Amino acid sequence: MKITDVINKKEYSVSFEVFPPKTDSAFESVESAVHEIASLRPSFMSVTYGAGGGTSKYTLNIAKNIKDKYGVPSIAHLTCVSSSRDTVRDMIGRIKDAGIENILALRGDIPNDPSFDMNSIDYHYAVDLIREIKNSGVDFCVGGACYPEMHPEAPSKKEDIIHLKEKADAGFEFFTTQMFFDNNLLYNFLYRIREAGITVPIIPGIMPITNAKQVKRAISLSGSFVPQRFINLVDKFGSDPDAMMQAGIAYATDQIIDLFANGITHIHVYSMNKPEVARAIMSNLSSILGKNTD
Ligand code: FAD
């Protein structure tokens, strides 16, 4: 099933993200987390792609299992900046052969390696990747990434939105946002992109922060603004793992309910292979999910 068909349904829904293992030996534990999360019946599940493609076979296997074994629609992420044209074309063919209909097409982060030569790469931006996917002739549903607080490399929000518009014009059918901890940032972003003529659906991405260490890591990776309300919560409960888990899930639930109350109907949760987090979110929303949005 295409992700656009899932998110266009007139009912409140959530999806979850999982990431592939780095080694064969870790595959089983990831597969077991995937199984538990899939059994919660989210509207779809996404599977990330390791930078450089080192874990690509796991991304494919997991996305195929989600769809075939558990009957949940899946989307495989694919990055391009550190891959050759042959590798990307091969990967697109393998995604098709696995019967996966959805791709989240990303540039990927520029490798932090002085020998990485930007002049000799095949793809510079995500927009180059969607052109390659479209050239394959396969009717994939292709989504991409967007950044309510702007991408860290962008010189300005205005310029970031110009490039987002180019992505939408090139055929991206929806965008999933980078995590954010203040919903007003999302509302402001939606206003600005709609004004710029970007009309495709935007799926807000919510990251439940469930331990204090994760806060620093998530924020340094994403550059997200952290409201004082959230800092207070980590200061108070960060040293007590159970309390922090409960508080982090409550904060994420509060964000999701506010988004639903303000016209958003579908949320993507960065569940980070944690079935207990996915389960708690589903339980907190049990009387809302599946309800008609009209
Ligand atoms: P782009 O859309 O190409 O944008 C990158 C930068 O280039 C932006 O600053 C943009 O403004 C600018 N730009 C775009 N087009 C042009 C142009 N034509 N000319 C000049 N500038 C331009 N990474 C992974 O490795 N694996 C994953 O599975 C993964 N999943 C992700 C899922 C989501 C929802 C998000 C938000 C991010 C994900 N990432 C993942 C991280 C992502 O790869 C990085 O954020 C990366 O730095 C940018 O990717 P992009 O597709 O947004 O790039």
Side-chain angles (χ1 to χ4, degrees):
M1 189 186 243
K2 299 249 162 81
I3 300 302
T4 40
D5 293 333
V6 174
I7 59 179
N8 283 336
K9 282 189 184 164
K10 289 197 169 305
E11 58 185 38
Y12 295 108
S13 57
V14 294
S15 50
F16 292 116
E17 181 163 297
V18 292
F19 56 85
K22 288 200 168 66
T23 58
D24 278 341
S25 58
F27 188 79
E28 222 167 278
S29 74
V30 172
E31 184 56 26
S32 140
V34 167
H35 169 83
E36 282 193 59
I37 296 173
S39 65
L40 299 167
R41 313 303 305 163
S43 57
F44 71 87
M45 288 170 69
S46 69
V47 189
T48 65
Y49 191 81
T55 59
S56 62
K57 69 174 178 185
Y58 303 119
T59 297
L60 264 190
N61 288 349
I62 293 170
K64 185 170 162 48
N65 277 351
I66 289 170
K67 178 179 67 70
D68 294 345
K69 246 166 104 175
Y70 309 124
V72 172
S74 66
I75 176 162
H77 293 204
L78 178 62
T79 67
C80 60
V81 75
S82 14
S83 299
S84 67
R85 197 169 291 280
D86 285 348
T87 305
V88 167
R89 284 184 178 164
D90 175 59
M91 201 54 208
I92 294 169
R94 291 202 286 140
I95 293 173
K96 172 185 168 259
D97 293 344
I100 297 163
E101 295 175 86
N102 305 289
I103 300 180
L104 199 81
L106 303 141
R107 185 197 69 180
D109 284 325
I110 310 274
N112 194 9
D113 170 358
S115 67
F116 187 77
D117 179 6
M118 290 297 285
N119 295 316
S120 62
I121 56 178
D122 289 334
Y123 306 97
H124 286 87
Y125 301 108
V127 76
D128 303 326
L129 178 56
I130 195 171
R131 290 185 183 128
E132 188 71 66
I133 294 170
K134 295 278 171 197
N135 278 342
S136 74
V138 184
D139 182 27
F140 290 111
C141 168
V142 185
C146 67
Y147 304 82
E149 296 170 74
M150 86 180 194
H151 184 268
E153 289 162 32
S156 67
K157 287 184 177 174
K158 205 170 157 198
E159 205 153 314
D160 209 25
I161 290 177
I162 290 173
H163 296 308
L164 192 65
K165 175 82 167 62
E166 284 165 9
K167 283 166 72 166
D169 292 345
F172 280 89
E173 292 177 64
F174 67 92
F175 295 112
T176 305
T177 75
Q178 176 65 286
M179 70 180 92
F180 55 90
F181 299 101
D182 177 347
N183 288 357
N184 287 328
L185 294 165
L186 193 269
Y187 301 137
N188 184 274
F189 174 70
L190 287 177
Y191 175 78
R192 285 182 289 115
I193 64 164
R194 298 307 185 212
E195 214 179 23
I198 301 169
T199 56
V200 297
I202 301 293
I203 304 182
I206 295 294
M207 163 87 85
I209 299 284
T210 54
N211 66 63
K213 252 195 353 227
Q214 196 191 350
V215 184
K216 285 200 190 89
R217 188 175 146 69
I219 292 152
S220 73
L221 282 177
S222 68
S224 304
F225 164 72
V226 186
Q228 190 60 43
R229 194 163 85 82
F230 191 79
I231 295 172
N232 293 347
L233 181 155
V234 178
D235 283 349
K236 197 78 180 169
F237 301 116
S239 56
D240 178 336
D242 290 343
M244 186 59 222
M245 164 89 92
Q246 202 164 46
I249 289 170
Y251 190 95
T253 305
D254 187 48
Q255 272 193 284
I256 295 171
I257 292 174
D258 178 73
L259 291 164
F260 283 160
N262 282 284
I264 305 287
T265 57
H266 184 85
I267 310 285
H268 192 58
V269 179
Y270 294 115
S271 44
M272 309 289 286
N273 297 2
K274 290 183 185 152
E276 65 282 15
V277 171
R279 199 175 305 112
I281 298 273
M282 291 300 262
S283 162
N284 287 349
L285 300 171
S286 60
S287 298
I288 297 176
L289 295 178
K291 290 262 160 73
N292 201 297
T293 56
D294 287 335

